Amino acid sequence: MTTTESGSPAPVSGTFPVTDEEIAARVKALESLLIDKGVTSELAVDKIAEMYEREVGPHLGAAVVARAWTDPEFKQRLLDDATEACREMGIGGMQGEDMVVIENTGDVHNAIVCTLCSCYPWPTLGLPPNWYKAPAYRARMVKEPRTVLREEFGVDLPEQTEIRIWDTSAEVRYWVLPQRPPGTEDMTEEQLRELVSRDSMIGVGLVAAPA
Ligand SMILES: [Co+2]
């Protein structure tokens, strides 16, 4: 495979699939071929998919967030170099080589999108949800984020809150450190983890205070 100077795979001109449908069709074709040739089995393919659904998923990102909320030095390291800070916790790997975490505050709300395709920080958030890959989300989130957040995700931000949208790519995979909700001062890191949703780390949700 051709690689760019930064070491990430470069698209092969003219043959690179561009839509999710094309990618899905190619994956299916490859999967059938590999199974036919005895290279792999349906079970092995399912196991990989399952790993990304169960083992590698937003609960890992949630653990990182809970640690950042309770350990200011870790939080600083996370904001300085997310890939390295996650590695400290044993979290990393494919599609997470260059992660950047941005912090939500009372003044600024951040959210991520991949305008070109569906780049996403797999090691901390798992596989992207379908809507993240949808052309409507990718286009509208850039043009009218406040409306999308309110109408599609029920996040109604105050007018004075600035919204910043980060275009995640194969080179830089952004994700969001959500705000720690009030009323959680006495909670342990383990308890805090349970509060952190995938959507809050994409920036299309807020972390709700415990009932
Ligand atoms: Co992309």
Side-chain angles (χ1 to χ4, degrees), residues 114-120 168-170:
C114 170
T115 52
L116 282 180
C117 43
S118 58
C119 298
Y120 192 72
T168 286
S169 68

Side-chain angles (χ1 to χ4, degrees), residues 112-115 119-121 132 166-170 172-175:
I112 66 166
V113 66
C114 170
T115 52
C119 298
Y120 192 72
Y132 184 84
W166 300 76
D167 196 353
T168 286
S169 68
V172 188
R173 287 167 201 265
Y174 296 102
W175 57 286

Side-chain angles (χ1 to χ4, degrees), residues 141-161:
M141 198 56 180
V142 181
K143 276 184 267 174
E144 40 171 12
R146 196 176 294 276
T147 307
V148 173
L149 286 173
R150 189 180 57 241
E151 289 179 1
E152 309 295 336
F153 297 97
V155 175
D156 200 359
L157 295 169
E159 270 310 310
Q160 66 269 25
T161 303

